[in-house]
């Protein structure tokens, strides 16, 4: 069976597993107070070009989003985000469960624009009754988006400039950031992202670790007493060194970049195959997620040997589907899919 459902179906990258095995019987302090976690933080901040800043580790993306957003917002504030955003569609109301409304903007291929943000804010403050409304307290975007698209450097600069004008923190969900940084035609690097937002996280779960996300900020004052806040949200791992070891490995020997590059290269091969076979793209994604429209007859046949996802409800004649590659996708998978098609 070929598995192209998502990018967290395998365990961890062999280099990560090797590091975990080698340190398995060591005894270290808990809750991230160990030397491995300190080293991981330094490696990440150095890679981001941050002389000052802070880094925190949590286990999963939904947990990370809910905790960071809850910390950045006041009780009566909401978060501006695309209607297709992960926090709005696929996190089971985790943000709302902590008392914060998601204020949605119409997406354009998964993205929102500085103009949309400005328009929403100007309309909000122009309303005489805005004191009775949920105040926009921050902006959330993903890199890459839920549709595999990425923001250009100019788009991100414009968004951050607008957020700064209105004194709103900009938070970037980087669950698949390794693949976004290696996007075909992309023009952003990790250092630039670190300086064009207030808080972001570097995803590990989908990019080579067993589990884990690294929250990074240039402004620690935006996340006061955050370790305590992580515990409040049930997100402080007692065996914190397991996160530190994994991220120290990801950010050694260029592994994080190698993982992203490999996943995107395979996705581009997959895209080329599907286009040559005459299938239409639903979204032209430059990253490891590929969205196509396939006849139901073709879907029925290849699903016997290929596992992938419908994107939305199936149509009567044809349906939108998603294929996802990752660091763990064997190159033979693309060859096999080509043969089946």
């Amino acid at each position: 069976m070929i598995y192209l459902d998502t990018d967290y179906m395998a365990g961890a990258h062999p280099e990560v597993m090797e590091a975990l095995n080698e340190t398995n019987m060591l005894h270290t302090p808990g809750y991230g107070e160990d030397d491995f976690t300190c080293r991981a933080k330094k490696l990440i901040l150095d890679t981001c070009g941050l002389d000052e800043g802070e880094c925190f580790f949590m286990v999963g993306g939904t947990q990370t989003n809910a905790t960071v957003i809850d910390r950045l917002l006041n009780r009566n504030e909401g978060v501006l985000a695309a209607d297709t955003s992960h926090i709005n569609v696929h996190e089971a109301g985790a943000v709302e469960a902590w008392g914060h409304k998601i204020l949605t903007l119409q997406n354009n291929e998964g993205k929102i624009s500085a103009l949309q943000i400005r328009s929403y804010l100007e309309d909000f403050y122009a309303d005489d009754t805005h004191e009775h409304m949920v105040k926009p307290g921050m902006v959330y975007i993903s890199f890459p988006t839920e549709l595999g698209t990425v923001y250009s450097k100019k788009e991100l600069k414009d968004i951050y400039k607008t957020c700064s004008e209105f004194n709103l923190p900009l938070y970037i969900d980087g669950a698949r950031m390794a693949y976004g940084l290696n996007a075909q035609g992309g023009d952003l690097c990790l250092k630039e992202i670190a300086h064009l937002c207030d808080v972001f996280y570097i995803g590990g779960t989908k990019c080579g670790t067993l589990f884990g996300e690294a929250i990074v900020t240039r402004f620690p004052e935006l996340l006061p007493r955050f370790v305590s806040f992580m515990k409040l949200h049930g997100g402080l791992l007692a065996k914190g060194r397991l996160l530190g070891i994994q991220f120290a490995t990801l950010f050694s020997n260029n592994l994080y970049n190698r993982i992203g590059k490999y996943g995107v290269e395979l996705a581009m091969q997959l895209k080329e195959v599907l286009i040559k076979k005459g299938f239409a793209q639903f979204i032209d994604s430059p990253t490891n997620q590929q969205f196509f429209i396939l006849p139901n007859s073709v879907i029925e046949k290849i699903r016997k040997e290929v596992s992938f996802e419908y994107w939305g409800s199936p149509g009567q004649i044809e349906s939108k589907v998603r294929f996802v590659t990752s660091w763990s996708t064997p190159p033979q998978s693309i060859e096999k899919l080509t043969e089946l098609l």
Side-chain angles (χ1 to χ4, degrees):
M1 195 73 176
I2 300 170
Y3 293 97
L4 297 169
D5 304 64
T6 188
D7 31 23
Y8 50 77
M9 301 190 75
H13 190 280
E15 292 180 37
V16 173
M17 286 303 302
E18 182 181 359
L20 287 170
N21 284 328
E22 287 177 350
T23 57
N24 187 50
M25 294 306 294
L26 294 179
H27 288 67
T28 59
Y31 302 107
E33 297 296 326
D34 58 280
D35 291 342
F36 296 107
T37 302
C38 291
R39 179 169 179 265
K41 289 182 178 183
K42 186 177 188 311
L43 285 169
I44 288 172
L45 291 175
D46 286 349
T47 303
C48 292
L50 301 179
D51 295 328
E52 297 181 355
E54 188 55 271
C55 181
F56 305 93
F57 298 101
M58 297 189 75
V59 172
T62 297
Q63 177 192 70
T64 297
N65 285 333
T67 306
V68 171
I69 290 171
D70 193 27
R71 179 77 287 186
L72 289 175
L73 293 178
N74 290 320
R75 290 285 300 278
N76 61 339
E77 293 179 333
V79 50
L80 282 168
D83 53 1
T84 52
S85 64
H86 203 266
I87 59 171
N88 188 50
V89 181
H90 287 127
E91 291 192 349
V95 173
E96 289 94 339
W98 284 93
H100 303 292
K101 185 178 178 64
I102 298 172
L103 308 167
T104 57
L105 300 173
Q106 177 65 44
N107 83 93
N108 178 19
E109 296 191 338
K111 297 189 286 186
I112 57 176
S113 68
L115 183 61
Q116 285 177 289
I117 296 168
R118 180 179 296 278
S119 177
Y120 188 101
L121 293 167
E122 289 176 347
D123 288 347
F124 175 84
Y125 287 109
D127 192 322
D128 288 340
T129 68
H130 73 261
E131 289 289 350
H132 302 272
M133 299 157 63
V134 176
K135 178 185 175 184
M138 63 176 289
V139 174
Y140 164 104
I141 63 173
S142 298
F143 187 87
T145 70
E146 289 303 289
L147 296 180
T149 52
V150 294
Y151 289 89
S152 68
K153 189 185 301 184
K154 183 181 185 309
E155 288 173 326
L156 187 56
K157 281 183 176 179
D158 289 345
I159 288 173
Y160 192 42
K161 180 181 178 182
T162 300
C163 290
S164 299
E165 284 180 27
F166 286 88
N167 198 31
L168 296 184
L170 174 61
Y171 169 55
I172 300 179
D173 178 331
R176 293 186 169 98
M177 190 168 285
Y179 307 113
L181 293 171
N182 284 277
Q184 190 176 57
D187 63 352
L188 278 164
C189 67
L190 194 55
K191 287 183 179 179
E192 289 166 329
I193 285 177
H195 287 83
L196 289 174
C197 69
D198 297 291
V199 185
F200 68 102
Y201 85 81
I202 299 169
T205 301
K206 296 174 181 176
C207 303
T209 62
L210 282 173
F211 52 82
E213 326 297 332
I215 302 162
V216 182
T217 180
R218 290 182 292 145
F219 308 111
E221 62 273 16
L222 289 175
L223 303 174
R225 296 196 76 236
F226 195 65
V227 171
S228 175
F229 213 71
M230 288 162 60
K231 191 148 196 175
L232 172 67
H233 280 256
L236 185 61
L237 187 64
K239 296 183 181 180
R241 74 109 177 274
L242 298 180
L243 290 164
I245 291 166
Q246 293 184 84
F247 275 92
T249 306
L250 276 191
F251 282 85
S252 299
N253 302 317
N254 201 35
L255 179 58
Y256 192 70
N257 185 62
R258 285 189 279 127
I259 281 172
K261 184 178 180 181
Y262 175 80
V264 172
E265 285 176 350
L266 279 190
M268 295 305 103
Q269 293 175 26
L270 186 150
K271 177 193 284 190
E272 183 180 0
V273 167
L274 291 168
I275 290 175
K276 282 185 176 179
K277 295 294 180 182
F279 300 121
Q281 291 177 283
F282 169 55
I283 291 288
D284 186 10
S285 164
T287 60
N288 70 317
Q289 299 182 87
Q290 293 299 314
F291 301 85
F292 277 80
I293 302 171
L294 301 185
N296 291 344
S297 58
V298 172
I299 293 172
E300 183 180 348
K301 289 178 180 178
I302 66 174
R303 277 178 74 87
K304 296 175 182 178
E305 298 187 57
V306 185
S307 181
F308 54 96
E309 289 187 347
Y310 282 102
W311 197 254
S313 56
Q316 292 185 345
I317 299 173
E318 58 185 16
S319 303
K320 296 187 287 287
V321 297
R322 182 185 75 161
F323 299 93
V324 187
T325 58
S326 75
W327 61 271
S328 66
T329 306
Q332 296 82 1
S333 296
I334 310 304
E335 297 170 8
K336 181 64 176 177
L337 178 60
T338 305
E339 292 174 7
L340 290 170
L341 291 170

